[in-house]
Amino acid sequence: MVTLIVATTYDPASINPAAKLLAMPGSISGPVLPPDIKSFSNQQIRVLQHDRHIVEEDDLDLRWEEATGEAVDEVIFLSRHTAVSNRPALTVHPIGVPHLREGDVTPQGGRPGWAAPPNPRIGPWLRLLKKLAQAHGLVPEFEITLEGTHHGPITSKPTMFLEIGSTEEYWKRQDAAQVMALLMWEGLGLGGGAPVGNWNSENENKKGKVLLGIGGGHYAPRHMDIALKDEVWVGHLLSGYSLPMEDPKQNKANLEEKGIGGTWKQSIKAAFEATESAFPGGEILAHLDHKSFKGWQKNAITEFLSEQSIKVGKPNDFFT
């Protein structure tokens, strides 16, 4: 089983961390993935380097398996992050566009209604990233944060994005690239230490609690409060924009016939199923950002979660 790390020369926040990782001991050139994607190997790690936008290359996991015969265990993408605030940030997030309807345009890749299995490393690596960033003097200049589930490309294996933001000045920062490279080096055990965030090995004798975030803003502050605690695992994070709900006051006829409209049910179901597939044997607990919902929204969501037999957890439930 191999780990794919995907970088693009199109983006300095992507290629710079990859280059620093490849400069560490052990990397050698590997085969070219058709048509023109370079690869490099280090133990069980495969770094892929292409020249297009990071969300434009779908199914790299399946394509690698077909080309090489190696089974892919997980995929990690390196990318730049943009934000209206322009604040420097190092971010981690799962991917998918589970709220989009079939036929909708996907401006940043993916497939409508789809969510990739979230990489189990997301929670443990968020905490490791914060420690490394602090040790290398990037905090408090850089914010260390999760992001809600969003964009592509399409993959079928547990996946996460590691991003440097939020403007060109910071995308090119070599110290930020070095911290991201160290995160991969230490997190994957390339330096001889134990890998960080391996679900199976770390949960051989116990079942872990896995957070499925529902509601809140893009940077999931209330979910972050839980994710920063040791031993918490993180699945999909559905921000408010990924839970489109039609106000029943605006369409009473629709409420009477079909309930509250919008793709919010589809989004929750897809996110839960993808999270469940990534954490076999784990206990998935939906954590709601209650303050982000109106009363009718919260009631509808909790009722749907109950119908789907999805447990709801309060913050303390993740630590017992």
Side-chain angles (χ1 to χ4, degrees):
M1 302 289 279
V2 300
T3 294
L4 294 188
I5 295 173
V6 184
T8 172
T9 59
Y10 181 88
D11 172 7
S14 179
I15 196 61
N16 289 348
K20 289 188 177 295
L21 179 64
L22 292 174
M24 295 176 181
S27 293
I28 59 174
S29 294
V32 173
L33 180 65
D36 57 0
I37 298 176
K38 297 178 182 178
S39 77
F40 304 87
S41 299
N42 190 345
Q43 300 176 48
Q44 294 304 109
I45 311 307
R46 307 291 181 263
V47 178
L48 306 187
Q49 177 184 312
H50 64 74
D51 301 322
R52 287 161 287 283
H53 194 284
I54 198 70
V55 301
E56 291 179 358
E57 287 285 352
D58 288 334
D59 299 316
L60 284 170
D61 50 339
L62 302 180
R63 290 158 58 188
W64 182 262
E65 290 180 338
E66 183 178 357
T68 67
E70 294 182 330
V72 174
D73 187 48
E74 62 183 331
V75 188
I76 299 168
F77 290 92
L78 307 177
S79 177
R80 66 189 180 194
H81 170 68
T82 58
V84 175
S85 68
N86 290 334
R87 181 174 178 178
L90 304 178
T91 80
V92 186
H93 72 84
I95 67 171
V97 283
H99 61 294
L100 296 184
R101 299 180 188 273
E102 185 175 354
D104 283 351
V105 174
T106 56
Q108 292 182 296
R111 181 174 61 244
W114 157 88
N119 194 314
R121 300 189 196 277
I122 289 173
W125 278 30
L126 171 71
R127 298 187 288 270
L128 177 58
L129 176 59
K130 187 171 183 178
K131 290 177 183 177
L132 291 170
Q134 289 172 332
H136 288 77
L138 294 186
V139 176
E141 181 184 13
F142 281 79
E143 180 180 14
I144 313 302
T145 185
L146 292 169
E147 293 182 75
T149 297
H150 65 304
H151 68 61
I154 295 169
T155 65
S156 59
K157 303 298 192 300
T159 300
M160 66 176 169
F161 262 64
L162 304 177
E163 300 187 358
I164 300 172
S166 298
T167 64
E168 187 171 4
E169 173 189 355
Y170 297 104
W171 300 336
K172 294 180 177 180
R173 281 276 291 265
Q174 296 298 318
D175 51 356
Q178 181 67 20
V179 164
M180 284 301 197
L182 287 171
L183 175 64
M184 293 181 282
W185 178 260
E186 293 187 17
L188 295 169
L190 291 172
V196 177
N198 280 356
W199 171 255
N200 290 334
S201 64
E202 293 188 16
N203 285 269
E204 199 168 300
N205 300 311
K206 64 178 181 178
K207 291 185 177 180
K209 304 287 182 66
V210 183
L211 184 152
L212 172 66
I214 297 180
H218 182 69
Y219 298 99
R222 291 187 176 85
H223 307 314
M224 272 279 293
D225 291 341
I226 298 173
L228 286 171
K229 303 293 185 182
D230 288 341
E231 298 184 4
V232 174
W233 302 85
V234 177
H236 275 291
L237 302 164
L238 298 179
S239 299
Y241 60 79
S242 294
L243 297 163
M245 303 178 78
E246 296 174 2
D247 189 337
K249 293 180 180 179
Q250 303 299 319
N251 192 346
K252 291 184 178 179
N254 185 63
L255 175 64
E256 293 170 359
E257 294 177 9
K258 303 179 182 177
I260 295 169
T263 57
W264 59 281
K265 289 183 179 180
Q266 164 191 303
S267 188
I268 291 173
K269 189 173 181 181
F272 173 76
E273 291 175 351
T275 299
E276 191 175 42
S277 73
F279 293 92
E283 183 179 5
I284 315 299
L285 296 178
H287 178 257
L288 277 63
D289 184 336
H290 290 280
K291 292 184 178 180
S292 70
F293 295 117
K294 296 177 181 178
W296 63 270
Q297 293 175 314
K298 184 166 61 175
N299 291 339
I301 288 172
T302 53
E303 182 178 342
F304 179 69
L305 292 172
S306 178
E307 291 172 358
Q308 297 294 309
S309 298
I310 300 173
K311 296 179 181 178
V312 177
K314 297 179 180 179
N316 287 340
D317 295 331
F318 291 88
F319 315 126
T320 56

